Amino acid sequence: MSKITKPQSNDDILFDKMKIYESLENNGIYKDDKNSFKYWTDAEDKVMYIANINEDDVNFLGVLNVDFEREGYCKNVYKNGDIYLGYYSNNKRDKHGLYQFKSEIIDDEKLTEFYFGFWNNDLRDNHGVFLWLREPENNKMFSNFQESNFDAYVGLVKDDNFLKGTYLSKEEDDYYVYHGTFNENNEKEGENCFLYSSSDEQIFFGKFENDNFIEGVVAVYDKDGNVKDILKYKDGKKIEEEKIDKKEIEKLAGILFLFRNIIMNKDYFGLIYDAFKKIVDFRDTKMNRLEILNTDYLALMTNCFNYNKITIYNDIEDFIDYDKKEEEEKEENEENEENEEKEEKEEKDEKDEKDEKEEKEEKEENEEKEEEEEEEEK
């Protein structure tokens, strides 16, 4: 699995503020060889600045508050070459945004790491998408999906780390998809987790620890998608002597079939690739002049929120919730049937007891009456 890199800190933007204030008051704009500033008001009519700054240590296009702190949607290129496009609050990354780490060359491949999602107080948080894109060294970024390999994570994030989500890995024509929880080292770990591997057409379902499958079942499929076998595992090894009963096999086969269908029915790898390509194209073609903040600020906001269109995590969670709901409804129905049968039995027992009592009383009454008649005759 790919490792998560820590983003750059946000350096202060240092200028002679009084000089800029005076120019804005007198001319409505401040401009020198490298930089420009204009007044700007947000939706709440709060006075801000829009700025295009091209200094050696700061390359910035976006909104600043009156204290010259990044505020609102901006594009910021860091000294090391990392790029952030998204929202800032009091000079910290917040709400929605895309962070791209500077590319590096490893074994003739260009590796670029991204995060596209929600931020809170400069940390990746809540819901987001990580991407580690590997392309031929000389290819333009996002120019050829077929020649690209990548790992991606889609799901819940807490303080820059994976929490619960879907991890996808593509290596040429082979790929795997894991859905479940992760430990503090961002390794696959938890109960009731799924992993589908296309190379050997298997689905692992059960317990993972430190990226390894420990306990559960493995469904093996043929080329037509039919289950060939279901194997049971414990302590990471196949259990030969334990058989799975027919009822459990049918239930597991149904769950794993639906999970496999979700993965097969949409090109999630293509959707992830296209979502990142679109936001990077927007950043590189549109976010290069000050006027964009007046003419296309809404488009900027919308593009920074488009990671929500990558739905694989929610699609699988909906299926799991539906399956849980069906199971709960089935258990509830079985419980209701048991209660009804119990009530019917209690009512029958009560009726039988009552009938028996009445029959006994009637018999005693008849016997008593016969005795009285015999006594009178005598």
Side-chain angles (χ1 to χ4, degrees):
M1 288 178 63
S2 299
K3 301 297 181 185
I4 297 174
T5 309
K6 185 172 179 168
Q8 294 290 301
S9 58
N10 299 302
D11 296 331
D12 292 333
I13 294 176
L14 302 175
F15 274 92
D16 184 343
K17 294 180 184 177
M18 288 307 301
K19 184 178 178 181
I20 293 172
Y21 291 154
E22 288 175 7
S23 179
L24 288 170
E25 285 296 322
N26 295 328
N27 307 311
I29 188 171
Y30 170 84
K31 197 167 187 179
D32 59 28
D33 292 342
K34 295 182 177 179
N35 313 295
S36 57
F37 291 77
K38 285 183 180 180
Y39 277 124
W40 192 75
T41 54
D42 65 6
E44 298 173 356
D45 290 330
K46 186 164 63 175
V47 175
M48 315 274 274
Y49 309 111
I50 50 174
N52 192 352
I53 303 168
N54 296 283
E55 296 290 335
D56 293 337
D57 58 344
V58 179
N59 189 300
F60 173 85
L61 175 65
V63 184
L64 301 171
N65 63 22
V66 292
D67 296 317
F68 279 51
E69 295 174 326
R70 298 167 181 87
E71 188 86 25
Y73 284 95
C74 315
K75 174 184 173 183
N76 195 91
V77 181
Y78 294 89
K79 281 186 276 190
N80 73 332
D82 290 0
I83 308 171
Y84 176 71
L85 176 71
Y87 196 87
Y88 284 93
S89 180
N90 297 323
N91 222 37
K92 292 184 177 180
R93 292 177 289 268
D94 200 40
K95 297 183 181 177
H96 314 289
L98 170 78
Y99 193 101
Q100 176 184 324
F101 294 85
K102 184 181 179 181
S103 301
E104 54 181 325
I105 306 301
I106 302 174
D107 298 331
D108 297 327
E109 272 193 329
K110 180 170 60 181
L111 171 65
T112 313
E113 181 181 345
F114 299 84
Y115 172 76
F116 189 16
F118 199 87
W119 296 77
N120 180 26
N121 198 30
D122 246 3
L123 295 172
R124 291 162 284 196
D125 201 64
N126 196 319
H127 183 84
V129 185
F130 289 82
L131 176 69
W132 293 266
L133 178 67
R134 303 185 302 278
E135 302 171 297
E137 182 178 351
N138 297 320
N139 275 25
K140 182 184 174 185
M141 190 176 292
F142 292 110
S143 62
N144 192 321
F145 174 74
Q146 299 303 327
E147 293 182 0
S148 302
N149 296 312
F150 61 82
D151 288 7
Y153 170 85
V154 184
L156 302 180
V157 183
K158 182 66 177 174
D159 297 339
D160 277 345
N161 291 309
F162 304 156
L163 190 61
K164 181 183 181 184
T166 309
Y167 192 96
L168 308 92
S169 182
K170 172 184 177 291
E171 192 70 41
E172 297 181 353
D173 293 331
D174 293 330
Y175 63 92
Y176 80 80
V177 178
Y178 168 84
H179 183 87
T181 49
F182 296 79
N183 63 21
E184 63 275 9
N185 298 317
N186 297 310
E187 297 169 326
K188 297 183 282 289
E189 186 161 303
E191 305 274 354
N192 298 323
C193 303
F194 297 84
L195 188 148
Y196 170 74
S197 169
S198 71
S199 59
D200 46 18
E201 276 295 340
Q202 293 183 350
I203 295 181
F204 300 77
F205 174 67
K207 182 179 179 181
F208 284 77
E209 281 184 7
N210 303 323
D211 269 345
N212 296 310
F213 182 63
I214 300 298
E215 187 175 324
V217 296
V218 177
V220 184
Y221 292 83
D222 63 22
K223 62 180 182 179
D224 298 318
N226 301 310
V227 177
K228 284 199 302 186
D229 201 1
I230 292 186
L231 312 171
K232 203 160 188 176
Y233 276 69
K234 192 171 184 179
D235 299 326
K237 297 176 182 177
K238 185 170 72 171
I239 304 172
E240 298 289 353
E241 65 273 14
E242 275 197 41
K243 299 293 182 183
I244 308 174
D245 64 55
K246 188 176 179 183
K247 190 174 180 182
E248 190 179 355
I249 286 177
E250 287 174 357
K251 180 183 174 184
L252 286 168
I255 292 169
L256 301 180
F257 173 79
L258 289 171
F259 174 73
R260 186 176 181 275
N261 264 16
I262 289 170
I263 296 166
M264 297 293 186
N265 284 343
K266 274 188 188 178
D267 179 14
Y268 288 107
F269 287 89
L271 287 171
I272 292 168
Y273 185 89
D274 289 343
F276 277 89
K277 183 178 188 299
K278 184 177 179 182
I279 184 72
V280 168
D281 284 348
F282 176 85
R283 182 197 68 196
D284 294 345
T285 58
K286 297 285 187 181
M287 289 296 292
N288 51 21
R289 53 193 178 84
L290 205 58
E291 289 72 20
I292 186 73
L293 299 170
N294 284 322
T295 59
D296 282 330
Y297 194 71
L298 181 60
L300 170 59
M301 291 170 59
T302 303
N303 274 276
C304 287
F305 190 67
N306 276 344
Y307 61 90
N308 277 307
K309 292 183 177 179
I310 302 169
T311 60
I312 184 167
Y313 169 74
N314 289 330
D315 291 346
I316 296 173
E317 280 296 294
D318 287 346
F319 141 67
I320 292 170
D321 287 343
Y322 177 75
D323 185 64
K324 280 182 182 175
K325 189 177 177 183
E326 272 200 331
E327 191 64 31
E328 286 169 2
E329 285 178 357
K330 186 181 176 184
E331 287 176 2
E332 188 180 340
N333 289 336
E334 286 175 355
E335 188 179 340
N336 288 338
E337 284 176 8
E338 284 177 9
N339 289 336
E340 284 175 8
E341 286 175 5
K342 188 178 176 182
E343 285 175 9
E344 285 176 5
K345 188 177 182 303
E346 286 174 354
E347 286 175 6
K348 185 178 182 300
D349 290 345
E350 190 179 329
K351 185 176 182 301
D352 289 347
E353 187 180 341
K354 186 180 176 184
D355 290 346
E356 189 179 335
K357 186 180 177 183
E358 287 176 353
E359 189 178 332
K360 185 180 178 183
E361 287 174 352
E362 187 179 348
K363 185 180 179 183
E364 288 175 352
E365 188 180 336
N366 288 336
E367 286 175 353
E368 188 179 339
K369 191 175 178 183
E370 283 177 5
E371 283 178 6
E372 284 176 359
E373 285 178 353
E374 284 177 5
E375 188 66 31
E376 281 179 8
E377 285 177 3
K378 187 178 176 182

